[in-house]
């Protein structure tokens, strides 16, 4: 499989990787076809798992390579990585204030962004998971961009490990949209369509990230750290609180640790 992907143009590698992650979002959304009842513990556990994967990916796949790359530059290694990390968090924080969205499990009264009350619940839930997927897509695009630029700290296997890890945690993200909508009375088909639609932004943001680092190679360390900061913001501001607000804290925490461990294994074993 790696040999096949190696033979492709780098931009097609990015597209294939993010079509996979989008497909995994659809797989998670398709869980509405397998159950008649909404299981809150199941959703909270899956959200915790997703948070663990994102935290592990932020360090093993993004921050660690960024520091290695920055060590070959003239500036202190910590400087561009720190700046990029903080800028990534600030970027998603800005979008969070503007984009109308609703966290999974939250009532409509807790919708955020500009004029959220003018939107349907289904739209707000999709936009919330779309907010998750922006940094995930950027991370994949930047990782493949680093490989395309020939960075010694980047490898195709590592970029694929990141895509696989994000794909795995996209399963609960798709379910986090479709299952609450099914509970709210939407049909299974509509719940699935809204759930899988949230993954569409990943290929778009991945291509943007890939093109950015391909044309401006010196920003690679900053770009990797930017994606890491964006993901950490999403995890701490939304994923972890959503996984614990229904009282399933121990389950959510253990699921987070499991997700972190699996992503760490993937990155170390493949990267």
């Amino acid at each position: 499989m790696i040999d096949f992907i190696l033979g492709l143009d780098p931009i097609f590698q990015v597209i294939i990787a993010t079509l996979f992650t989008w497909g995994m979002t659809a797989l998670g959304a398709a869980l509405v076809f397998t159950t008649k009842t909404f299981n809150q513990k199941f959703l909270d556990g899956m959200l915790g798992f997703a948070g663990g994967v994102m935290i592990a990916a932020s360090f093993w796949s993004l921050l660690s390579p960024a520091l290695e790359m920055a060590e070959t530059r003239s500036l202190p290694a910590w400087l561009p990585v720190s700046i990029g990390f903080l800028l990534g968090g600030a970027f998603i924080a800005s979008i969070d204030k503007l984009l109308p969205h609703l966290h999974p499990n939250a009532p409509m009264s807790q919708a955020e962004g500009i004029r959220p009350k003018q939107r349907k619940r289904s739209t707000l839930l999709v936009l919330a998971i779309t907010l998750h997927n922006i940094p995930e897509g950027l991370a994949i695009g930047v990782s493949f961009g680093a490989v395309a630029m020939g960075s010694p700290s980047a490898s195709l296997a590592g970029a694929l490990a990141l895509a696989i890890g994000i794909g795995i945690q996209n399963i609960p993200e798709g379910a986090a949209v479709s299952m609450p909508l099914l509970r709210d009375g939407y049909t299974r088909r509509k719940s699935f369509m809204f759930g899988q639609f949230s993954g569409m932004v990943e290929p778009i943001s991945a291509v943007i990230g890939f093109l950015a680092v391909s044309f401006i190679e010196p920003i690679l360390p900053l770009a990797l750290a930017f994606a890491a900061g964006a993901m950490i913001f999403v995890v701490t501001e939304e994923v972890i609180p959503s996984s614990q607000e229904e009282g399933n804290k121990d389950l959510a925490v253990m699921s987070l640790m499991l997700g972190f461990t699996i992503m760490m294994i993937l990155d170390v074993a493949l990267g």
Side-chain angles (χ1 to χ4, degrees), residues 76-254:
W78 56 265
L79 184 58
V81 174
S82 299
I83 292 173
F85 185 79
L86 294 174
L87 285 176
F91 172 71
I92 297 299
S94 300
I95 296 179
D96 186 68
K97 297 296 183 186
L98 299 174
L99 184 72
H101 64 283
L102 180 68
H103 296 187
N105 303 330
M108 281 294 292
S109 60
Q110 295 180 14
E112 300 177 12
I114 296 178
R115 300 184 205 172
K117 299 299 168 73
Q118 298 180 4
R119 309 277 181 166
K120 293 182 178 179
R121 178 178 176 84
S122 57
T123 302
L124 293 173
L125 283 170
V126 171
L127 290 175
I129 303 302
T130 298
L131 184 63
H132 291 194
N133 290 336
I134 291 173
E136 293 168 9
L138 284 174
I140 294 173
V142 170
S143 294
F144 276 92
V147 176
M149 296 304 297
S151 171
S153 301
S155 68
L156 181 59
L160 287 174
L162 176 63
I164 292 170
I166 288 178
I168 292 172
Q169 66 92 41
N170 274 358
I171 296 175
E173 290 194 348
V177 176
S178 63
M179 285 188 166
L181 291 179
L182 181 65
R183 178 187 61 184
D184 290 346
Y186 284 74
T187 65
R188 295 181 190 275
R189 182 175 177 275
K190 282 189 176 181
S191 298
F192 166 75
M193 291 303 296
F194 280 122
Q196 65 83 29
F197 185 76
S198 64
M200 185 182 295
V201 73
E202 281 195 6
I204 298 171
S205 55
V207 169
I208 292 173
F210 176 85
L211 293 176
V213 299
S214 295
F215 286 110
I216 318 175
E217 189 272 341
I219 71 167
L220 258 177
L222 188 143
L224 286 166
F226 182 96
M231 286 215 291
I232 290 297
F233 181 91
V234 168
V235 171
T236 54
E237 195 272 340
E238 183 165 341
V239 177
I240 292 176
S242 294
S243 71
Q244 297 185 7
E245 61 188 9
E246 295 297 322
N248 298 311
K249 292 185 178 181
D250 289 346
L251 173 64
V253 171
M254 291 306 300

Side-chain angles (χ1 to χ4, degrees), residues 60 62-73 77 81 151-154 221 224:
W60 296 100
L62 299 170
L63 284 177
S64 181
L67 287 166
E68 289 183 29
M69 294 176 194
E71 286 175 355
T72 64
R73 311 296 170 91
V81 174
S151 171
S153 301
L224 286 166

